Amino acid sequence: MAQERVALITGASSGFGLLTAVTLARREWRVLATMRDLTRRERLESAARAAGVLGRIEILALDVTDLEQIAGVAATVAARGLRMDALVNNAGFAMAGFADDVTDAELRRQFDTNFFGAAAVTRAFLPQLRRQGFGHIVMVSSVSGRSAFPGMSSYSASKFAMEGWSESLRLELKSLGIQVVLVEPGAFETDIWTRNGTLSEGTLDPRSPNAARVERWKKGIEGAKKQPDAQVVADGIAAILEDPKPRLRYVYGRDAKMALMMRRLLPSDVFERLMVKYSGIDGNAG
Ligand SMILES: NC(=O)c1ccc[n+]([C@@H]2O[C@H](COP(=O)([O-])OP(=O)(O)OC[C@H]3O[C@@H](n4cnc5c(N)ncnc54)[C@H](OP(=O)(O)O)[C@@H]3O)[C@@H](O)[C@H]2O)c1
């Protein structure tokens, strides 16, 4: 009988992480679903129960900004003799706010989770992946890791960092049998837009030089149409993990594909004018 494949996912309490955990379990993977707050496990448990796969999912505590906890989880996996077919670095949040309003502490907090967290979790599992000589590492980046939007400089910067780091890591690990892949979704319906959406305090301050622009920007977001179902991304990640030779990048969502195509094809000044206009920050002036 073929050995059971094992995946570890960060940020599995909601969104892409939760859906990927259930999707992989349905495809007969064993899933180590990690989350920073175990009191939030119920949503994953009921989704897994409804899909009849609760027995294939083990929930573990992991805050990707906690280096001791990361080392502990990696040691537990190794001590239990579990193989590691896949690591999905999914945990993240979006810090919105104009660059001059975001404080240094806020910018660092964004990087601590989205970039340093993902890098630390990856490095903690690299010894095991090297010993095995196989494994996939999926980095959940964003279209914002390829093309920046106004009002999202902190988030974009953290994902650009992830992109560069992962591209280099992929080349370093290529001859060792370990695959590194970047997943780049556009906007999908998850908690990143609601519960986990964060706006810098300075941007909320009515004395901010950007106050009027933020109001226009927020109205644009509120008026945006409903986002597509995040299951598309979970299915995509599962397919990547089952592909022995995946590409470096996978883009999901019409909005992301369109933005990247326009960036590639349009003269840069036309593209930039469109981005500003689309964001609504300058009213009709953009
Ligand atoms: N949805 C989109 O439109 C979109 C587009 C492009 C990229 N992405 C990326 O997709 C990934 C998943 O986000 P999502 O859209 O699925 O949003 P989500 O529903 O808000 O899920 C984010 C997950 O990350 C977890 N998390 C946040 N900080 C953490 C930390 N320090 N340690 C461990 N877990 C932490 C959250 O845990 P809690 O439940 O404890 O908050 C939650 O489980 C993120 O990296 C995001 O940047 C999302």
Side-chain angles (χ1 to χ4, degrees):
M1 206 176 78
Q3 243 195 312
E4 193 176 44
R5 290 164 302 180
V6 180
L8 185 140
I9 305 173
T10 64
S13 58
S14 64
F16 297 148
L18 182 154
L19 292 170
T20 303
V22 175
T23 303
L24 287 176
R26 291 176 85 130
R27 291 161 88 127
E28 310 216 317
W29 285 66
R30 179 186 172 95
V31 180
L32 305 176
T34 72
M35 54 186 73
R36 62 178 165 178
D37 179 357
L38 290 180
T39 66
R40 275 207 250 277
R41 62 192 295 154
E42 174 50 29
R43 207 155 139 199
L44 171 60
E45 282 176 343
S46 49
R49 203 175 295 116
V53 295
L54 188 55
R56 310 193 68 83
I57 297 180
E58 186 179 342
I59 299 178
L60 301 171
L62 181 61
D63 183 326
V64 301
T65 63
D66 183 337
L67 295 181
E68 251 177 60
Q69 207 174 29
I70 294 172
V73 172
T76 303
V77 169
R80 282 169 57 186
L82 290 173
R83 49 188 267 168
M84 176 64 56
D85 295 87
L87 169 62
V88 182
N89 281 301
N90 163 75
F93 74 100
M95 165 73 67
F98 285 74
D100 46 357
D101 293 328
V102 174
T103 63
D104 194 48
E106 287 172 327
L107 185 55
R108 284 174 192 275
R109 207 157 52 241
Q110 179 73 103
F111 267 74
D112 278 343
T113 299
N114 290 14
F115 175 64
F116 289 110
V121 172
T122 304
R123 280 187 287 110
F125 284 99
L126 277 180
Q128 174 164 353
L129 293 171
R130 274 176 173 275
R131 274 196 305 276
Q132 292 177 176
F134 64 84
H136 284 46
I137 302 171
V138 165
M139 309 295 276
V140 181
S141 174
S142 168
V143 63
S144 298
R146 298 274 298 284
S147 193
F149 298 93
M152 297 299 295
S153 56
S154 312
Y155 182 67
S156 256
S158 71
K159 296 295 189 182
F160 267 65
M162 174 185 259
E163 295 263 338
W165 194 81
S166 305
E167 202 171 307
S168 186
L169 186 69
R170 178 172 165 105
L171 301 177
E172 291 171 8
L173 299 180
K174 209 171 172 61
S175 57
L176 306 181
I178 303 163
Q179 307 290 332
V180 180
V181 178
L182 284 157
V183 162
E184 300 169 335
F188 284 89
E189 174 99 46
T190 70
D191 289 7
I192 204 167
W193 301 97
T194 51
R195 179 175 66 84
N196 278 332
T198 314
L199 195 55
S200 79
E201 276 183 34
T203 293
L204 286 169
D205 187 333
R207 287 165 305 181
S208 158
N210 299 303
R213 310 175 91 195
V214 175
E215 279 314 309
R216 285 194 287 267
W217 184 64
K218 279 194 340 209
K219 272 203 193 92
I221 290 176
E222 280 154 19
K225 58 179 191 296
K226 193 171 156 25
Q227 279 125 2
D229 184 353
Q231 184 61 43
V232 171
V233 177
D235 289 338
I237 293 174
I240 290 167
L241 297 183
E242 291 173 1
D243 181 345
K245 291 237 177 306
R247 299 194 305 267
L248 170 61
R249 292 191 164 88
Y250 290 81
V251 180
Y252 297 99
R254 277 182 50 172
D255 58 344
K257 287 177 185 161
M258 184 71 87
L260 294 177
M261 190 180 71
M262 290 196 314
R263 188 186 172 101
R264 203 170 54 243
L265 297 180
L266 294 175
S268 59
D269 63 327
V270 176
F271 177 72
E272 286 167 6
R273 255 186 283 128
L274 274 176
M275 283 289 114
V276 175
K277 188 167 179 190
Y278 174 73
S279 73
I281 55 172
D282 292 331
N284 294 327

